[in-house]
Amino acid sequence: MNRSSGILLHLSSLPSPHGIGTMGQAARDFVDFLARAGQKYWQILPICPTSYGDSPYQSFSTFAGNPYFIDLDLLAADGLLLPAEYEGIDWGGSPECVDFGRMYELRYPILHKACQRLLDAPLADYADFCRENAFWLPDYALFMALKDAHQGAAWSEWEPELIHRDPEALAQARLLHAREIDFWQAVQYLFFRQWKELKAYANRSGIEIIGDLPIYVAADSVDVWGCPEEFQLDENLVPTEVAGCPPDGFSATGQLWGNPLYNWEEMKKNGYAWWIRRIRHMCSIYDVVRIDHFRGFAGYYAIPFGSADACGGRWRTGPGIDLFRTIEKELGRQNIIAEDLGFLTQDVYDLLAATGYPGMKVMEFAFDSRDGGNYLPHDYPRSCIAYTGTHDNEPVNGWFETANPEDAARAVDYLKLTRREGYNWGMLRGIWSSVADLAIVQAQDILGLGHEARMNTPSTLGGNWCWRAKPGAFSPQLAKKLRHVTEIYGRTPFED
């Protein structure tokens, strides 16, 4: 990885006239902005379908794409929609915030019209898509059709024969819900058709996409329903323990994520087949894959199912290097970034070194008295990805609004920040000037936004994941300024 830089901006945060960022013209405009600004990478969050709570880290499927990101104008250009079928719809109160409730109510009737036209006259590669994705697509489509038939209820609340995947019950369900199954398969075709075109456009422009792979999957997902033997479930398919993080300086009760934990012993017996399928898929749709919560592969925090918080959990041993050696033996060396943040112990450092993956450094942590990590830029190794903050952190200006005054003063002194330059630009200068091979900044930071633009506050419900950039925010003037500092710090992409 040559010395370079990039911007973190999720698809949902792009400006668009239809309620949420999509894979349409605004995405291509942002690619053009990145190229003009001398950037090499566009980092996004997981693109899988979001479930309750709207978090991209809690999805109905680890393999599927989010239907909300399908661009309606592109569907019209393909002859699958009429402009009158979607133009003029009120998608919510503010163009700077996604209204997920309205998206859920209004998007699917429009997609049903497009998918019906597709199914009536399938495009040439539709059958090929279904065949190539047969390892996940039929089960996902059945799962979503059954969720609709049960008014959105979790699979654990369905009839016992469906919960336990009785073959006869599943065969009957496929016949009964054939029309909806076809719809959900068609939605995924439309998603990945547009995704493939967007990624090709980015790559032709010299931009590579960094995708995000959450370590865990949601309890209410086709991944758990379809492969219960891969998870720590009891005889009634109820989790025995669930995922989270222990109490720390940021949360006195820790973080209770609630995801079912993997049955690593069972996975080892079958050669980690599920993980190999997952990594192969992620590496086929992204240029670089960031594995979230990497420390969980060394040792993971297990909380008894039904706990009110994370205080009663305990550490258990993860699969370690055996998993990654098996993956590399099967798939070859892949472009992977390890999110080695959180409570780090020697086994995590050893695992990171054994894999050879670059880790992450978050500069906001360097000045936060609640975090004991070594995140000052002068200590960064070359083989790392430097961030001012991630999707779980405040934008820089928001951090200064909410940080302990002594912590903020320490940052000002270390980086010699001034109001004239802008604290956000001074913090960005700190990681751009470091020796880290790659520096990634949040879009909110180059836009100079504060707490109001925070993407996610961990351990909170509501108000997360909805920030969107204003139309015209990524201007030619901003691209020019960004390219100037990119050149100063030697991060302009090398020509092939």
Side-chain angles (χ1 to χ4, degrees), residues 62-63 129-140 227 273-274 276-278 280-282 284:
T62 191
F63 295 100
F129 171 81
C130 293
R131 183 177 62 256
E132 291 165 2
N133 292 278
F135 65 97
W136 67 270
L137 184 58
D139 244 12
Y140 167 74
C227 300
W274 185 87
I276 289 172
R277 291 195 300 272
R278 192 183 191 198
R280 179 188 287 116
H281 179 70
M282 294 297 117
S284 74

Side-chain angles (χ1 to χ4, degrees), residues 264-295:
W264 288 116
E265 291 183 5
E266 189 65 29
M267 286 186 158
K268 181 179 176 64
K269 290 177 184 177
N270 62 36
Y272 304 106
W274 185 87
W275 272 99
I276 289 172
R277 291 195 300 272
R278 192 183 191 198
I279 296 292
R280 179 188 287 116
H281 179 70
M282 294 297 117
C283 291
S284 74
I285 64 175
Y286 302 128
D287 297 298
V288 183
V289 174
R290 188 196 85 122
I291 299 181
D292 185 59
H293 197 61
F294 183 79
R295 75 101 50 243

Side-chain angles (χ1 to χ4, degrees), residues 193-212:
R193 173 182 168 89
Q194 292 191 4
W195 174 258
K196 184 178 180 180
E197 291 172 350
L198 173 59
K199 184 176 179 296
Y201 183 86
N203 291 164
R204 287 196 302 271
S205 302
I207 304 300
E208 295 186 13
I209 296 178
I210 301 175
D212 206 316

Side-chain angles (χ1 to χ4, degrees), residues 361-433:
K361 301 292 183 182
V362 177
M363 193 165 62
E364 283 184 13
F365 291 161
F367 308 109
D368 199 312
S369 54
R370 297 170 297 178
D371 194 293
N374 188 19
Y375 296 109
L376 287 169
H378 69 260
D379 283 328
Y380 292 172
R382 288 188 181 275
S383 181
C384 78
I385 319 300
Y387 294 79
T388 44
T390 73
H391 60 274
D392 283 334
N393 298 110
E394 288 274 12
V396 166
N397 286 343
W399 184 81
F400 278 101
E401 294 169 15
T402 58
N404 181 296
E406 288 78 13
D407 293 348
R410 191 158 46 249
V412 170
D413 184 42
Y414 179 90
L415 293 164
K416 305 306 177 190
L417 304 179
T418 66
R419 294 292 183 186
R420 180 176 180 180
E421 179 188 22
Y423 282 6
N424 56 317
W425 286 97
M427 289 278 273
L428 299 177
R429 169 169 46 80
I431 64 166
W432 285 326
S433 62

Side-chain angles (χ1 to χ4, degrees), residues 229-232 262-272 300 316-319 322:
E229 67 282 356
E230 307 278 13
F231 299 87
Q232 296 182 28
Y262 296 111
N263 185 342
W264 288 116
E265 291 183 5
E266 189 65 29
M267 286 186 158
K268 181 179 176 64
K269 290 177 184 177
N270 62 36
Y272 304 106
Y300 59 93
R316 296 187 179 276
T317 302
D322 184 53

Side-chain angles (χ1 to χ4, degrees), residues 27 46 100 128 188 217 227 235 292 301 313 348 359 370 378 393 451:
F100 285 102
D128 291 337
Q188 289 305 304
V217 299
C227 300
E235 65 276 8
D292 185 59
Y301 195 66
V348 184
R370 297 170 297 178
H378 69 260
N393 298 110
H451 175 73

Side-chain angles (χ1 to χ4, degrees), residues 146-464:
L146 286 171
K147 280 193 73 68
D148 285 347
H150 290 85
Q151 292 74 51
W155 66 266
S156 56
E157 300 175 19
W158 299 348
E159 295 85 350
E161 59 270 23
L162 291 176
I163 291 175
H164 293 275
R165 296 178 61 85
D166 174 74
E168 184 176 343
L170 294 184
Q172 291 177 349
R174 290 188 184 99
L175 291 174
L176 182 61
H177 303 293
R179 185 182 180 90
E180 278 299 292
I181 290 171
D182 287 344
F183 164 73
W184 286 107
Q185 291 196 158
V187 165
Q188 289 305 304
Y189 168 80
L190 295 177
F191 175 91
F192 282 106
R193 173 182 168 89
Q194 292 191 4
W195 174 258
K196 184 178 180 180
E197 291 172 350
L198 173 59
K199 184 176 179 296
Y201 183 86
N203 291 164
R204 287 196 302 271
S205 302
I207 304 300
E208 295 186 13
I209 296 178
I210 301 175
D212 206 316
L213 188 156
I215 181 174
Y216 294 121
V217 299
D220 185 23
S221 68
V222 64
D223 307 294
V224 181
W225 178 65
C227 300
E229 67 282 356
E230 307 278 13
F231 299 87
Q232 296 182 28
L233 310 177
D234 65 18
E235 65 276 8
N236 296 314
L237 303 185
V238 175
T240 53
E241 293 178 314
V242 294
C245 282
D248 57 18
F250 295 92
S251 174
T253 58
Q255 297 181 33
L256 177 60
W257 300 335
N259 307 77
L261 297 166
Y262 296 111
N263 185 342
W264 288 116
E265 291 183 5
E266 189 65 29
M267 286 186 158
K268 181 179 176 64
K269 290 177 184 177
N270 62 36
Y272 304 106
W274 185 87
W275 272 99
I276 289 172
R277 291 195 300 272
R278 192 183 191 198
I279 296 292
R280 179 188 287 116
H281 179 70
M282 294 297 117
C283 291
S284 74
I285 64 175
Y286 302 128
D287 297 298
V288 183
V289 174
R290 188 196 85 122
I291 299 181
D292 185 59
H293 197 61
F294 183 79
R295 75 101 50 243
F297 297 102
Y300 59 93
Y301 195 66
I303 305 163
F305 180 74
S307 297
D309 55 41
C311 292
R314 55 181 172 174
W315 288 99
R316 296 187 179 276
T317 302
I321 192 61
D322 184 53
L323 169 65
F324 297 100
R325 284 177 177 160
T326 303
I327 291 172
E328 186 166 344
K329 182 179 180 181
E330 181 71 22
L331 304 180
R333 186 71 177 176
Q334 302 295 323
N335 293 323
I336 291 175
I337 295 169
E339 190 250 5
D340 56 333
L341 305 176
F343 177 68
L344 302 184
T345 48
Q346 189 59 46
D347 57 344
V348 184
Y349 297 120
D350 293 344
L351 178 59
L352 184 67
T355 62
Y357 300 153
M360 292 173 51
K361 301 292 183 182
V362 177
M363 193 165 62
E364 283 184 13
F365 291 161
F367 308 109
D368 199 312
S369 54
R370 297 170 297 178
D371 194 293
N374 188 19
Y375 296 109
L376 287 169
H378 69 260
D379 283 328
Y380 292 172
R382 288 188 181 275
S383 181
C384 78
I385 319 300
Y387 294 79
T388 44
T390 73
H391 60 274
D392 283 334
N393 298 110
E394 288 274 12
V396 166
N397 286 343
W399 184 81
F400 278 101
E401 294 169 15
T402 58
N404 181 296
E406 288 78 13
D407 293 348
R410 191 158 46 249
V412 170
D413 184 42
Y414 179 90
L415 293 164
K416 305 306 177 190
L417 304 179
T418 66
R419 294 292 183 186
R420 180 176 180 180
E421 179 188 22
Y423 282 6
N424 56 317
W425 286 97
M427 289 278 273
L428 299 177
R429 169 169 46 80
I431 64 166
W432 285 326
S433 62
S434 75
V435 299
D437 285 336
L438 175 57
I440 298 286
V441 302
Q442 289 195 82
Q444 296 94 311
D445 288 339
I446 64 169
L447 297 175
L449 302 178
H451 175 73
E452 77 286 352
R454 182 168 186 167
M455 197 65 177
N456 176 54
T457 303
S459 298
T460 65
L461 294 175
N464 294 317

